[in-house]
Amino acid sequence: MPKQKTNRSAAKRFTKTGTGKLRRNKANHSHILTKKSPKRKRKLRQSTLVAKSDEKRVRRLLGG
């Protein structure tokens, strides 16, 4: 059976942490920022972990 290919778009969006969890960036921080409060924009800069329910799908996209 051939090797599973990594989905390249997913590889650019998700990274594995040292403990094997998946890290992602938050959405809504690319445009239309004038109406968003400074506090909200500051929170959007921080990365977060992928939800437990989505982890299996993301791991498959990352090639295994």
Side-chain angles (χ1 to χ4, degrees), residues 6-54:
T6 300
N7 180 299
R8 297 313 294 164
S9 62
K12 291 166 190 174
R13 286 169 171 79
F14 303 102
T15 54
K16 278 186 184 171
T17 63
T19 54
K21 294 176 184 171
L22 294 167
R23 192 162 282 291
R24 67 169 179 88
N25 289 318
K26 292 181 181 172
N28 304 313
H29 193 59
S30 57
H31 61 105
I32 316 175
L33 298 170
T34 49
K35 61 177 79 169
K36 295 168 190 167
S37 69
K39 180 182 178 181
R40 185 174 165 195
K41 289 187 278 192
R42 199 160 54 240
K43 295 277 188 192
L44 289 170
R45 271 186 234 140
Q46 298 161 3
S47 58
T48 185
L49 295 176
V50 171
K52 199 80 178 157
S53 54
D54 295 324

